[in-house]
């Protein structure tokens, strides 16, 4: 069961409040220890430096926690905003909190809130893009794929036109039949003669039909 995330930046702010209210004689700028570096220089370590270092490390964990998918809910961002609002109010209203150390702590709380909002917005956008991609893939898989119909073979138009041209030329070159006018027969005139051997009368005598011609 998911639980509401605890705002980690509340820890250094709470420690600062305990020091201010419960230990009024403790100052934040007095060196607690001195560390000698390899260069030979001494680094005075104060309580404010330790609180700021702790706050930076906890902010890193907050960002890592917020970068995980579904890690932060709206209530987590609301709690981070409440922590920043309380720190800003203490910095403005109370003189014991009006210093650079507490200002930086309040600023880190603001960064925690803004980074959580930015990560949530980006995560929502990525989820929406992923959902759109899955829907497009599903639609592509369910839609039937139709192959385009083969293009019809071009008709033999040149050959047909050539054959029609040849037929038309043959019909135009063929001579039309000529009909001769019939011979006119004049009444009372000589009858037309038909030249048939053996049938045409010669000088008014018809050949005999009794004996065949020799």
């Amino acid at each position: 069961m998911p639980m509401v995330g605890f705002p980690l930046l509340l820890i250094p702010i709470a420690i600062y409040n305990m020091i201010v209210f419960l230990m009024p004689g403790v100052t934040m700028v007095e060196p607690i220890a001195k560390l000698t570096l390899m260069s030979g220089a001494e680094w005075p370590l104060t309580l404010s430096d330790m609180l700021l270092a702790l706050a930076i490390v906890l902010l890193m964990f907050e960002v890592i926690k917020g970068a995980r998918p579904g890690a932060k809910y709206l209530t987590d961002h609301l709690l981070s905003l409440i922590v920043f609002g309380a720190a800003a109010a203490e910095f403005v209203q109370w003189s014991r909190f009006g210093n650079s150390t507490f200002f930086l702590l309040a600023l880190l709380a603001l960064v925690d809130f803004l980074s959580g909002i930015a990560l949530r917005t980006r995560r929502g956008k990525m989820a929406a893009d992923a959902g759109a991609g899955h829907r497009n893939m599903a639609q592509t898989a369910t839609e039937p794929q139709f192959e385009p119909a083969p293009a019809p073979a071009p008709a033999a138009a040149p050959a047909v036109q050539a054959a029609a041209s040849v037929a038309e030329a043959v019909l135009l070159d063929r001579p039309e039949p000529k009909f001769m006018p019939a011979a006119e027969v004049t009444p009372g005139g000589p009858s037309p003669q038909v030249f048939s051997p053996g049938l045409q009368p010669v000088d008014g005598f018809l050949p005999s039909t009794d004996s065949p011609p020799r």
Side-chain angles (χ1 to χ4, degrees), residues 14-76:
I15 293 175
Y16 193 97
N17 278 268
M18 288 189 296
I19 292 174
V20 169
F21 289 109
L22 300 180
M23 295 179 286
V26 178
T27 60
M28 296 290 180
V29 295
E30 290 292 333
I32 299 176
K34 292 183 179 181
L35 300 178
T36 304
L37 305 179
M38 296 181 61
S39 61
E42 290 186 351
W43 174 39
L45 187 61
T46 63
L47 189 57
S48 61
D49 296 336
M50 296 177 61
L51 287 177
L52 290 174
L54 177 62
I56 292 173
V57 173
L58 293 178
L59 177 62
M60 180 188 67
F61 284 111
E62 281 285 342
V63 173
I64 294 174
K65 184 175 65 174
R68 294 181 301 174
K72 274 199 170 187
Y73 298 91
L74 185 61
T75 310
D76 300 338

Side-chain angles (χ1 to χ4, degrees), residues 83-166:
V83 170
F84 164 70
E90 289 179 341
F91 173 76
V92 173
Q93 293 181 0
W94 291 344
S95 60
R96 294 288 302 272
F97 295 91
N99 51 62
S100 299
T101 302
F102 198 77
F103 170 76
L104 292 177
L105 290 177
L107 183 61
L108 291 176
L110 176 62
V111 171
D112 176 29
F113 170 71
L114 295 179
S115 63
I117 294 297
L119 290 174
R120 183 181 181 87
T121 304
R122 182 179 180 183
R123 187 165 58 246
K125 183 178 180 181
M126 292 176 61
D129 294 341
H134 287 308
R135 285 195 298 270
N136 293 335
M137 292 177 61
Q139 291 178 0
T140 305
T142 54
E143 288 180 357
Q145 302 292 333
F146 297 100
E147 296 183 357
V160 175
Q161 293 179 359
S165 300
V166 173

Side-chain angles (χ1 to χ4, degrees), residues 3-7 72-82 113 120:
M3 298 180 62
V4 177
F6 178 77
K72 274 199 170 187
Y73 298 91
L74 185 61
T75 310
D76 300 338
H77 303 303
L78 182 60
L79 291 177
S80 299
L81 180 61
I82 291 174
F113 170 71
R120 183 181 181 87

